[in-house]
Amino acid sequence: MAAPSPRADAGPEPGPAGFGAGSADFSSGPAGFGAGPASFGAAERELVPLDSASGLRWFQHDHPHPLGRWHHHPEIEVHLITASTGTAHVGTAVRVFEPGSLYLVGGGLPHHWVSSLRPGETVPGRDLLLQIDPLLPARLTAILPALGALEGLLDDAAHGLEFTGPTRERAASILVSMRDTTGITRFAAAMTLLSTLTTAPREDREVLDPHHASRALPRRENELFDRALHYVHAHLNGPLRMDDVARELTMSASAVSRLFTRATSVGFSRTVTRLRVTEACRLLRTTDLPVGEVCWEAGFANLSNFNRRFREETGVTPREYRGAAS
């Protein structure tokens, strides 16, 4: 899918096209994840400026962008990736994303999309999203009981949903078409979009974090986890120890361990393994690198450990994964 070009009037607060004066410096990262800002900014609850007349916000932004960080908000979000490949973090789930990837994220569920970029690279209009007042569906259902089917969709959205197949194609088309709409036309399109997601067949949707319970960390811990997550991504293809992250955050290793457990429920080591397997998946899908080189680029020290961890996380071998993805 071609990335739609950003518009300054696409929503009530479109934000800057990308980093400008006063932005964080960039530094080189490893192959596969490239450069990124030293910090994505204070990873607190994002304040979403909804249109008071509709309870909606249609928005598009480049990447990197100040909003591109580990964050959460009470608003429901439909999120389309228009360009680049990378890692989607939704709750405790870690997935490869690519152009056209489409997600529904429920209120309060932490999320972040990290693109694989070359140093200094910018992806214009990477993120296209619709944010919805969390009270709006219940209010609509009270007036129109036929909309009660939305409740099941939003219950699942609390765990994060990824849509694929024909449902993704239809929903992405509707979301893109909302760019030039306002008022009742935009509202009607939003209802059509939610209806499309509600009626998605089982094979077109995946619940990403089925065991999610609210993990909205206090502001200070959220900021620390955002910095830790960036550090891990930037050093993923080399030796990476908890002590390294502790030094970066000026914390004790035990405090870092507790932070990762609270934020992800699976701890530091499992989080790093998942990120490395996800990076390996991305490389297997988007490059012709031999499996042995994918192993090293993703940060695994030896091929046998790579194959074992890859099967544990995906259920298949790296070669089987590449064959299924081709």
Side-chain angles (χ1 to χ4, degrees):
M1 175 182 297
S5 57
R7 275 171 47 112
D9 60 349
E13 186 182 318
F19 281 109
S23 64
D25 291 334
F26 284 81
S27 58
S28 296
F33 278 97
S39 170
F40 292 122
E44 58 189 276
R45 195 191 98 171
E46 181 183 323
L47 298 177
V48 177
L50 296 172
D51 175 8
S52 60
S54 65
L56 304 172
R57 182 199 193 200
W58 190 101
F59 183 57
Q60 185 170 17
H61 64 76
D62 299 350
H63 182 79
H65 186 278
L67 295 180
R69 64 185 191 271
W70 178 251
H71 70 286
H72 65 94
H73 44 70
E75 289 74 20
I76 303 154
E77 179 171 304
V78 183
H79 197 116
L80 174 67
I81 299 293
T82 67
S84 80
T85 61
T87 305
H89 298 263
V90 181
T92 65
V94 180
R95 295 288 189 278
V96 176
F97 71 73
E98 58 194 3
S101 292
L102 184 79
Y103 305 87
L104 179 64
V105 180
L109 181 61
H111 52 280
H112 185 20
W113 286 267
V114 180
S115 283
S116 304
L117 301 180
R118 296 182 298 274
E121 182 181 1
T122 297
V123 184
R126 186 198 72 164
D127 302 270
L128 194 161
L129 51 124
L130 178 71
Q131 293 168 319
I132 305 167
D133 183 336
L135 299 179
L136 184 61
R139 290 170 177 164
L140 291 173
T141 301
I143 300 171
L144 297 171
L147 295 177
L150 289 176
E151 293 180 3
L153 175 71
L154 299 181
D155 285 345
D156 288 342
H159 305 277
L161 292 170
E162 180 176 4
F163 292 89
T164 56
T167 299
R168 177 179 68 179
E169 299 305 314
R170 288 194 297 269
S173 178
I174 295 167
L175 187 57
V176 171
S177 74
M178 294 175 67
R179 172 192 307 278
D180 296 314
T181 62
T182 57
I184 193 169
T185 304
R186 175 170 288 187
F187 183 83
M191 294 302 102
T192 302
L193 174 60
L194 290 177
S195 176
T196 298
L197 300 181
T198 299
T199 57
R202 185 182 299 271
E203 61 269 21
D204 281 5
R205 53 182 274 170
E206 178 188 2
V207 176
L208 297 177
D209 186 3
H211 305 296
H212 170 72
S214 179
R215 297 186 187 91
L217 299 174
R219 175 176 177 173
R220 175 59 179 162
E221 289 192 10
N222 230 339
E223 182 178 354
L224 288 169
F225 184 68
D226 181 68
R227 289 173 54 198
L229 197 60
H230 168 75
Y231 183 88
V232 169
H233 271 291
H235 297 82
L236 201 60
N237 75 337
L240 183 61
R241 301 173 304 164
M242 197 183 311
D243 286 344
D244 300 325
V245 180
R247 265 193 308 275
E248 175 71 12
L249 302 183
T250 61
M251 297 170 63
S252 67
S254 60
V256 170
S257 176
R258 290 192 297 271
L259 175 66
F260 270 80
T261 299
R262 285 194 293 271
T264 69
S265 81
V266 296
F268 177 80
S269 295
R270 185 70 181 275
T271 298
V272 171
T273 296
R274 285 181 171 179
L275 291 179
R276 284 178 167 157
V277 168
T278 302
E279 172 63 354
C281 289
R282 189 189 71 82
L283 293 170
L284 290 167
R285 289 168 66 166
T286 61
T287 75
D288 295 323
L289 289 174
V291 169
E293 288 190 39
V294 169
C295 165
W296 319 132
E297 290 291 343
F300 288 93
N302 62 74
L303 196 56
S304 61
N305 183 52
F306 170 54
N307 285 322
R308 182 170 63 254
R309 299 304 182 192
F310 194 96
R311 182 184 281 275
E312 285 176 357
E313 295 293 336
T314 67
V316 296
T317 67
R319 285 185 172 83
E320 288 170 340
Y321 181 90
R322 172 170 270 169
S326 60

